[in-house]
Amino acid sequence: MKKRRGLLAAAATLALLSGLLAVHAETGSSGNATTSTFVTQAGSDQLVPTQDAYLTGDVLFLDSPLTMPEDIFVQGGRLYVADSGAGRIVSTDLSGGDVQSLGEGILSYPTGVFVTDAGEIYVADSGLQTVAVLSADGRLLRRYDRPQTRTFGANAQYQPSKVAVSDAGIIYIVSTGSFDGVIQLDQSGEFLGYYGYNNVQMSMLETIQNLIFTEEQLAQLFNKIPLAFYNLALDSKGMCYTVTQKTDIAPLKKHNIAGVNILNSSPEVENLADLCIGPDGQIFTVSESGMIYELDNNGTLLFAWGGQAANSERRGLFTLAAGIAVDEDCCLYVLDKERGVVHTFIPTEYASLMHTAIRQYEDGSYADSRDTLTRLAKLSGDVQMVNYYMGNNLMQLRDYEGAMESYRRAGDSAGYSDAFWEVRTAGVNQWFAAGALALAALVCGGLLLGRLRRRKARPAAPVYYYTDGRKAGEIGLGENLRFAFKFFKHPFDAFYEVKVGARGTVLSGTVLYLLAFAAFAFYYAGRGFAFSQLELSEISPFYVMMLFFLPVGLFVLASYMVSEINNGEGTFKKMYAGMSYAMIPFICIAPVLTLLSHVLTLSESFLISFGMGFCVVWSGVLVLLAIKEIHNYEPGQVAMNVLLALFLMIVMIFVGSIIGMFWDTVLDTLSAFGKEVLYRVTG
């Protein structure tokens, strides 16, 4: 599903709001206190409140807070916490049993914990710069110190902060300051290589520097290095997930076997602290500010809730969130590092229905999943996630028209395109024979009509060669407009007639500009849903007008102003008319492309892209010919005119922006001055 950038980042701004809307209860008591849950509204980027997805449960370790804990993990009905400040691992039975302290005297500053199915406890100890393996009763079994192989690198960082272990026994280690990726070791401690990577993000200035600077000059600049991973998790299939801090560009990643990110979307939040994988493959992640995000395995946002406790302790709100874990019942445990406690969250029927619908879909029970989603829609209303999965199920059930409607409501153009392809294919198969007969009849009728017409004497069509003795103002608007079709065959001759004033008036030019705007507006707002998700109610006519007339008008004006100081022969009137004729390809082709967008799918989008590119290039060539013929320029002068015109446009926009910024101040000053004058005049 195509994602919109910034969708999940908006949820972070609701952290304070969710704190204000929280249903507060006595800290530490059990009950059903909640924080507001947000979901994505269907067909938009807006996050809206919905039913509570999770209820807050008990607050663990409230009577004996932990000391700056860093990580949390759930395995086999027990909760494990890396109590970093105390140099130990705290293990507690989630059913309300004993609490054990493990690793005291062995560990220094544990910052990561992972427990295997066999009960072995892997601890990333950044203080000792090692990964220690403890038994269930706290005995040290083995350690994984810095690899000694040459392939690891003499200067490579090895300060384990987080750790995870696959079913195959491969150890994944996040090392503080390790920019090469996740460190992989086998059970014997042999270095297997680095896994995954973060791309280096470059600014526009740095991109230009790389293009024009020499190697010596680039060597003098500061070298940019990728960001190091901050945390990681593994799912039941051995897939590795990572989070990266200090960036809002794909901070959450799902890596394939080659380490490449395959996640469709990611919360654009710079301070993600931890993540875990639910029993149905859903992804839970938490930011340091306390916002909790639940996504499906492809990165689609399901729920967002939580927030930061501003002044006092509240269940479900955090001072500094540091870790998150989930058990087999999809109950969540979120670690508050600052307070040394663990908040618990219990899924409601609303969240459970969503999980059930996704699980049924993944298992191939599409009819059951559809029925579950129908029940869920009664609780959630018109939200994106329900419509998206409903569309997926209807596609599998071959209800393609229903899938189209669901995908449209979900704002998923890719899914809509796939469903439309199936509907179109069925329609073609049904009406192909009738359509072929109708086409054959039209062709035969056209040939017959043409033969009859050829038998009649017809006057020769008027041919324009330079001028016919009349001026443009002496002929009607219709003829000036029909003259536009001459630009398809004889653009040089046509522009010459505009230059000498034989064709092209201000009125005909204005009509052509308005026709070009109509074609642009039709293309902008009238394309099929697969190519544009804009709703007419969301489109501002003034914005569309500015989008067309501002660049076109500024270019015509700027080009004429440049020609005035570069010995151009044309007047502004001729430039205005000549440039309007350059719009003819766009006027003719853009509406056709707009109509085609309603019968094509995304797999055929190259036809739309090629057609639009072709007409834009054609119009651009006509603009160059207009400048050349009207001003009698050489090719080099044409290029200089265009470059200077573009530069002048930038200056005009910049000056206009400055004036706009101070316009309110100027108006207030003039208003105050006028009131003062009026006051003095009237005594």
Side-chain angles (χ1 to χ4, degrees):
M1 176 179 182
K2 182 179 179 181
K3 297 298 185 293
R4 299 172 176 86
R5 294 181 58 83
L7 175 63
L8 300 181
T13 63
L14 300 172
L16 179 60
L17 177 62
S18 66
L20 295 174
L21 295 177
V23 181
H24 301 308
E26 284 285 328
T27 303
S29 64
S30 61
N32 61 350
T34 65
T35 57
S36 298
T37 301
F38 296 91
V39 296
T40 309
Q41 189 175 25
S44 72
D45 293 341
Q46 295 181 349
L47 289 169
V48 295
T50 185
Q51 296 278 347
D52 295 323
Y54 288 83
L55 302 178
T56 56
D58 292 334
V59 179
L60 308 181
F61 306 106
L62 188 63
D63 296 331
S64 55
L66 305 169
T67 308
M68 300 300 288
E70 293 277 359
D71 199 16
I72 188 172
F73 196 82
V74 172
Q75 178 65 272
R78 297 190 70 87
L79 176 70
Y80 299 83
V81 182
D83 192 7
S84 307
R88 61 177 182 166
I89 300 296
V90 176
S91 171
T92 180
D93 190 343
L94 292 175
S95 61
D98 63 313
V99 176
Q100 297 179 356
S101 179
L102 309 173
E104 291 182 291
I106 300 175
L107 305 174
S108 172
Y109 195 81
T111 54
V113 59
F114 182 93
V115 183
T116 65
D117 293 338
E120 291 187 336
I121 306 170
Y122 284 73
V123 183
D125 194 318
S126 60
L128 298 176
Q129 298 186 359
T130 190
V131 172
V133 183
L134 307 178
S135 64
D137 56 4
R139 293 179 294 107
L140 178 65
L141 300 179
R142 55 190 178 275
R143 290 176 48 161
Y144 294 96
D145 296 323
R146 179 187 179 86
Q148 301 301 314
T149 58
R150 291 184 178 181
T151 55
F152 184 70
N155 298 322
Q157 293 286 337
Y158 187 76
Q159 188 176 356
S161 59
K162 308 295 178 184
V163 63
V165 184
S166 70
D167 292 340
I170 299 176
I171 305 169
Y172 295 79
I173 301 172
V174 171
S175 174
T176 303
S178 179
F179 309 109
D180 296 313
V182 178
I183 298 171
Q184 285 185 314
L185 305 178
D186 64 13
Q187 282 295 305
S188 65
E190 189 72 21
F191 176 62
L192 300 178
Y194 291 101
Y195 178 80
Y197 57 86
N198 278 321
N199 292 321
V200 177
Q201 302 300 325
M202 302 186 67
S203 65
M204 180 63 70
L205 176 60
E206 291 167 334
T207 303
I208 295 174
Q209 288 174 340
N210 282 343
L211 291 175
I212 64 177
F213 281 17
T214 64
E215 294 184 3
E216 292 76 12
Q217 290 172 323
L218 291 174
Q220 296 176 5
L221 300 176
F222 291 105
N223 292 325
K224 293 199 68 172
I225 55 178
L227 294 170
F229 292 123
Y230 186 78
N231 216 322
L232 81 164
L234 301 177
D235 64 14
S236 59
K237 299 178 182 179
M239 300 288 287
C240 182
Y241 302 72
T242 61
V243 294
T244 306
Q245 288 200 335
K246 299 180 181 179
T247 180
D248 60 356
I249 301 176
L252 172 65
K253 292 182 174 67
K254 176 183 178 181
H255 303 272
N256 61 12
I257 192 171
V260 178
N261 179 31
I262 58 173
L263 200 62
N264 293 335
S265 181
S266 172
E268 295 182 354
V269 181
E270 293 187 356
N271 63 344
L272 290 181
D274 195 12
L275 76 162
C276 62
I277 311 303
D280 295 318
Q282 62 268 55
I283 306 169
F284 296 94
T285 184
V286 64
S287 68
E288 290 181 343
S289 57
M291 285 302 297
I292 303 170
Y293 306 96
E294 180 180 353
L295 308 97
D296 72 2
N297 205 246
N298 295 315
T300 305
L301 176 66
L302 300 180
F303 310 109
W305 75 98
Q308 201 160 26
N311 299 316
S312 58
E313 292 188 8
R314 293 290 185 268
R315 284 194 295 165
L317 303 178
F318 309 89
T319 304
L320 179 63
I324 187 170
V326 61
D327 62 19
E328 63 273 10
D329 296 322
C330 216
C331 295
L332 293 176
Y333 306 86
V334 184
L335 180 64
D336 191 325
K337 177 180 178 179
E338 188 75 19
R339 293 176 180 161
V341 297
V342 175
H343 294 257
T344 62
F345 295 88
I346 304 167
T348 63
E349 180 187 6
Y350 176 48
S352 297
L353 281 175
M354 190 68 226
H355 299 159
T356 300
I358 295 176
R359 181 170 60 253
Q360 290 171 335
Y361 173 76
E362 296 294 337
D363 292 341
S365 302
Y366 305 119
D368 293 338
S369 180
R370 177 199 58 196
D371 296 340
T372 303
L373 288 169
T374 302
R375 293 174 55 197
L376 182 63
K378 296 178 181 179
L379 297 175
S380 65
D382 192 23
V383 298
Q384 189 180 68
M385 61 176 181
V386 175
N387 286 288
Y388 169 64
Y389 274 101
M390 182 65 78
N392 288 348
N393 281 291
L394 293 178
M395 279 289 289
Q396 298 297 332
L397 295 171
R398 299 187 179 183
D399 181 2
Y400 301 120
E401 292 185 357
M404 285 175 58
E405 179 61 24
S406 294
Y407 284 133
R408 178 187 284 275
R409 300 182 70 85
D412 181 9
S413 59
Y416 177 90
S417 176
D418 293 339
F420 175 70
W421 188 89
E422 297 288 351
V423 172
R424 190 186 66 180
T425 300
V428 169
N429 292 337
Q430 180 179 0
W431 298 102
F432 177 78
L437 290 175
L439 180 61
L442 286 174
V443 172
C444 293
L447 293 174
L448 180 60
L449 183 61
R451 187 169 183 178
L452 292 175
R453 284 183 175 180
R454 283 194 296 271
R455 292 181 178 180
K456 298 180 180 180
R458 293 182 301 167
V463 180
Y464 301 96
Y465 287 104
Y466 300 107
T467 66
D468 57 3
R470 294 180 295 168
K471 293 296 184 181
E474 299 173 0
I475 62 178
L477 174 63
E479 188 172 345
N480 272 312
L481 293 177
R482 288 194 300 273
F483 176 72
F485 293 100
K486 184 176 180 180
F487 287 84
F488 288 109
K489 291 185 177 181
H490 306 288
F492 287 94
D493 294 344
F495 279 123
Y496 179 81
E497 295 196 37
V498 174
K499 175 183 177 180
V500 299
R503 295 294 184 273
T505 63
V506 173
L507 178 59
S508 64
T510 301
V511 172
L512 289 174
Y513 283 123
L514 291 176
L515 288 175
F517 169 70
F520 172 79
F522 184 46
Y523 181 81
Y524 182 84
R527 283 171 293 168
F529 181 78
F531 295 87
S532 174
Q533 292 79 55
L534 291 174
E535 297 290 341
L536 290 178
S537 59
E538 301 173 353
I539 299 174
S540 167
F542 178 76
Y543 172 76
V544 179
M545 291 175 63
M546 292 296 293
L547 203 60
F548 176 81
F549 285 114
L550 184 63
V552 171
L554 284 180
F555 182 79
V556 174
L557 179 61
S559 179
Y560 169 72
M561 294 173 65
V562 171
S563 69
E564 281 295 291
I565 61 175
N566 281 337
N567 302 319
E569 298 180 3
T571 63
F572 180 74
K573 176 182 176 181
K574 294 174 181 178
M575 280 292 295
Y576 181 83
M579 291 291 190
S580 69
Y581 285 117
M583 299 285 180
I584 291 300
F586 186 82
I587 294 172
C588 296
I589 297 177
V592 177
L593 297 178
T594 305
L595 295 175
L596 282 176
S597 69
H598 289 269
V599 296
L600 297 178
T601 64
L602 286 179
S603 61
E604 299 152 340
S605 61
F606 72 95
L607 295 173
I608 303 294
S609 301
F610 176 79
M612 181 54 63
F614 178 75
C615 75
V616 168
V617 170
W618 193 354
S619 291
V621 171
L622 290 180
V623 167
L624 298 179
L625 292 179
I627 296 173
K628 179 182 183 303
E629 290 299 319
I630 293 175
H631 293 303
N632 197 22
Y633 276 164
E634 296 296 328
Q637 293 175 300
V638 174
M640 183 59 66
N641 180 279
V642 172
L643 292 176
L644 291 177
L646 293 175
F647 175 76
L648 185 56
M649 288 175 61
I650 295 174
V651 173
M652 290 178 177
I653 294 173
F654 178 75
V655 172
S657 301
I658 297 296
I659 294 175
M661 291 171 59
F662 293 100
W663 186 248
D664 290 340
T665 304
V666 172
L667 290 180
D668 292 340
T669 303
L670 292 176
S671 177
F673 179 75
K675 290 178 180 179
E676 181 67 21
V677 171
L678 182 63
Y679 173 77
R680 292 182 180 275
V681 169
T682 58

